[in-house]
Amino acid sequence: MRNTCRLGLVGLLLGPLAANVAAQDTNYWALQYGPVGQLLGGQVIGSERSLTATYYNPGGLALEDGTTFLLSTESFLLESFSTRPSTDVEIFDTSSTRLGAAPTLVAGALPRSWLGEDTRLAWSFLTRQDLDARLGERLVDPFELGPAGGSASELYLDNRVNESWAGLTLSRRLSDTLGIGATWYGVYRGQRSRSEVNALALGPGTGALSALAITDFDYTHFRTLAKLGVSWERNDMRLGLNVTTPSLGLFGWGSAGYTLSFIGVDADGDGVPDPPVLSSQTEDDLDSNYKSSWAVGGGFAWYRGSTRWHASGEWFAPVDRFTVLDVPVQDDGPQLILTQQLKSVFNFGVGVEHEVGAETVLYGAAYTDFSASMGDPAVNVAVSNWNLYHVSAGMKFRVISNRFTLGATYSFGGKTRPLGAGIGEENVPGVGDGTLDVSYKRVVVLLGFLFGDGS
């Protein structure tokens, strides 16, 4: 039963690691918006003039001469997570795939007559973070205990994160070449996470083991922030700068709890089962909190004949550790810690568009998406601690006064970490010195449409 007892301990400490596999909300450039914005990978801070400028650079909206009324995209994604160990510990070898609609942006411009020809007023709604992952795995007889014994183990993760921004944009043309603007956003964020790991075993005679670990939390939080922008253009060059303010928390609520149980576990490997353990905690009506950082971005577009080159970069400030859900400390038993901390990152990318004819344009882009994760998964509600890389390609064409965009984006990333690193970076006993390969891949196919005469 010695190996089986070790399996129970590994499974118990796997919960924080499983959450680390699924979360993607510490990558700031995972989602891009608008037909052209997606195909150029968001490298439009300096060049965007359509309604996606409400997000990328509000100052650019006032320099648009069109009469755009509605902007939308329909995107479909295939997203997969997987973990694969370098050893034969089966419980770590699992994957999860999701096929469905991709997050999008919808925006509209209000009549120019309201505030004059030099001022634009617009609304927008976008999904800033989106994750829906379930990793579940069920194993029968993961360890050979002979004909008189048997074992089973399960690992299930259910993680759902959604963050939506609703904004109102005011953009003002100061001259034929200069525009300034601001978008004020109201932000909703919700996260639900449940990790459940168990291991059961019967050995020869009366030997038996049962290990169960469940962690569960969910919260809702509302906050507000603003995005400021300035855009300049002349001849064959466009420049832009944007600033995103830290968010101001308004209110939120949530709940959290865990259950921990050991029976027949030999944690120290001395051949004698430890005393049974049962610990649990449930807390409702907790106050929730969430913070986001300063961000400063800049970009340019250079027009060279029928080809336009785009480039952008954006720096995100660090966020000191804060408590997402303030779970009361118990006198006995483990402490459920639900906090977050983010480091500063700088993302950059390049894009290109080339006019093939009067009504057809080809696009391509490549850009980074470095993780802001800081700290171990034992104390972070979401830790995607691997970097992502994105490439995109597609085309735009016109039918009468309506423009359509077709294309795709491919994203990939991963990390190799110690196999038993469940709490901090310390190896869990009984796993050895193996490694765990975490892999993430996503394909997004998009159809964008723009009604009106705007570009």
Side-chain angles (χ1 to χ4, degrees), residues 10-94:
V10 170
L12 179 66
L13 296 182
L14 186 59
L17 179 61
N20 184 38
V21 170
Q24 283 299 318
D25 64 351
T26 57
N27 296 94
Y28 292 111
W29 277 16
L31 301 178
Q32 302 298 337
Y33 306 102
V36 175
Q38 290 187 61
L39 294 183
L40 287 176
Q43 312 311 307
V44 293
I45 295 176
S47 59
E48 190 57 272
R49 301 292 183 262
S50 73
L51 283 168
T52 54
T54 57
Y55 172 78
Y56 289 111
N57 190 337
L61 187 62
L63 300 179
E64 169 58 50
D65 293 327
T67 57
T68 300
F69 291 109
L70 178 65
L71 170 69
S72 183
T73 56
E74 293 294 338
S75 302
F76 305 92
L77 66 82
L78 177 64
E79 185 176 45
S80 68
F81 305 92
S82 65
T83 60
R84 186 173 297 277
S86 61
T87 67
D88 59 356
V89 181
E90 292 181 277
I91 196 171
F92 290 92
D93 191 357
T94 185

Side-chain angles (χ1 to χ4, degrees), residues 28 43 51 106 132 159 239 245 289 295 297 404 450:
Y28 292 111
Q43 312 311 307
L51 283 168
V106 178
D132 191 356
N159 199 347
L239 302 175
T245 68
N289 185 32
F404 296 86
L450 179 65

Side-chain angles (χ1 to χ4, degrees), residues 419-432:
L419 179 59
I423 298 180
E425 294 296 328
E426 298 297 327
N427 284 342
V428 177
V431 178

Side-chain angles (χ1 to χ4, degrees), residues 229-249:
V230 57
S231 291
W232 176 88
E233 62 181 42
R234 179 173 292 176
N235 299 328
D236 61 351
M237 180 67 69
R238 289 184 177 183
L239 302 175
L241 176 71
N242 67 27
V243 176
T244 305
T245 68
S247 58
L248 174 64

